[in-house]
Every structure is written in structure tokens, then in C-alpha cells.
Amino acid sequence: MNPSVPEGGPSASPERPGEPSREAEDQRLMERVVSRHNMIQAYERVKSNAGAPGVDGMTVEELMPYLREHWAGIRDDLLGDGYRPQPVRRAEIPKRVLRLIRRYLQSGVMINGVVVSTEEGTPQGGPLSPLLANILLDDLDCELQSRGHRFVRYADDVNVYVKSKRAGERVLESLK
């Protein structure tokens, strides 16, 4: 064990007086996630999207009565870290959609009114750029979370919050 690194790794820094602990911040975030307002918004979004039943077979129409009866226990499990989600139903992407994605990627870009073909990557500003970045960079999110870093990522833009320039340089080098 490295004596210069606190137990639990570099992210386990001592608490500053007057600042909430990471656990307290996580708890407040979970309370916001399971708030009545947020849950109603999530339900309305699933309902408006005509959400398909999951592996349990429950339809959107069956969901609200179920939640009315069981929500208190589900909420307690979520807040107490006792909730265990069921597997999700895999959705296959139809080949027609994959062909459409390929066409977008091969459509080229317009520079000063001239169409230029692209050999690799996703054209910036195209409708697929943020979507494909989110899919591709999901592993980065997992890696940053496992290291205990605080970060925000939108599509291919990411900010990692560290305490010093040197820490930022180390994180940047480790991600290359």
C-alpha cells in the first residue's frame, strides 16, 4: 500500500469543514432523482413515447396502478441502496437504420459551399455526431467514474474537475 495515498484511493480526500461529504451529496442527488416531480416527468415521457413492456411484461397502462401501491417501498430501496433492477430487453437496431447511419457518415461535409468527402470520423455538426459520441465515449464515463473523478460530458466535450494543474495533467495523460 502506498502511504502517500489515502485508503480508498486518490479520491478519498479528507472532508473540508463545512462542506458536505460525497455520501451526503450522493444522497441529495438520489433524493432529487426519486422526487415526485421527477418521477412524474419520467412517467409522462415513457407514456408519450408509447414505451414497450420490459422483461416483466408490464405495460405503461399497468405501471401507474403498480407504482401507487408499491412506490414507497421502491423509493426506500432506491435511497437505501437495496434496489436491484431487472435485466432490460435488448433492442436490435434494424439493418435499414444501420444503412442510414452509414450514409450519414459517408455524406461528406460542406466547406465554403463545396462538398468534401470524409474518410473517417463523424462530420461535426451532423445529427449523428452527438449520438455516436455518447455511444463511443460511454467507456470513458465508466473509467472516470471508477477513478472517482467528478466530470461532465456532453457528446464529445468533457470537463474533468481536479484540484490542481498537476492532477489535470496526470488525468489528461492517462486518457490519451
Side-chain angles (χ1 to χ4, degrees):
M1 182 169 176
N2 184 346
S4 65
V5 177
E7 188 173 336
S11 65
S13 60
E15 301 301 326
R16 293 185 184 120
E19 287 189 20
S21 68
R22 179 81 182 248
E23 291 80 18
E25 288 179 14
D26 290 348
Q27 185 66 22
R28 277 200 304 277
L29 176 60
M30 277 304 297
E31 287 172 2
R32 288 178 58 198
V33 168
V34 300
S35 71
R36 178 176 172 78
H37 175 75
N38 194 48
M39 290 293 101
I40 290 171
Q41 279 188 316
Y43 172 78
E44 292 297 330
R45 181 170 290 171
V46 169
K47 187 176 168 184
S48 71
N49 290 337
V55 295
D56 60 1
M58 186 179 299
T59 65
V60 175
E61 292 77 27
E62 297 168 319
L63 180 59
M64 189 54 76
Y66 179 85
L67 289 175
R68 284 190 183 110
E69 184 176 341
H70 300 281
W71 175 243
I74 294 170
R75 184 179 188 281
D76 289 345
D77 284 348
L78 285 166
L79 291 174
D81 201 31
Y83 181 76
R84 298 294 175 256
Q86 293 184 354
V88 296
R89 181 173 280 165
R90 180 180 295 255
E92 296 294 326
I93 300 174
K95 288 185 179 180
R96 180 177 59 80
V97 174
L98 293 176
R99 280 197 301 269
L100 181 60
I101 290 172
R102 177 168 297 284
R103 287 179 186 151
Y104 267 109
L105 293 175
Q106 294 175 338
S107 66
V109 295
M110 187 169 287
I111 301 173
N112 296 326
V114 178
V115 176
V116 178
S117 65
T118 53
E119 300 298 321
E120 62 182 25
T122 305
Q124 290 295 308
L128 290 181
S129 182
L131 172 66
L132 294 178
N134 282 332
I135 293 168
L136 184 66
L137 295 176
D138 187 61
D139 289 340
L140 173 66
D141 294 346
C142 294
E143 178 64 24
L144 291 171
Q145 285 176 333
S146 73
R147 294 182 189 184
H149 291 303
R150 293 176 185 245
F151 67 97
V152 175
R153 185 177 64 75
Y154 177 77
D156 60 351
D157 295 323
V158 64
N159 289 332
V160 180
Y161 301 99
V162 295
K163 294 183 179 181
S164 68
K165 181 178 180 181
R166 177 73 185 119
E169 291 168 348
R170 283 195 307 263
V171 170
L172 181 61
E173 188 59 35
S174 71
L175 295 176
K176 288 184 178 178

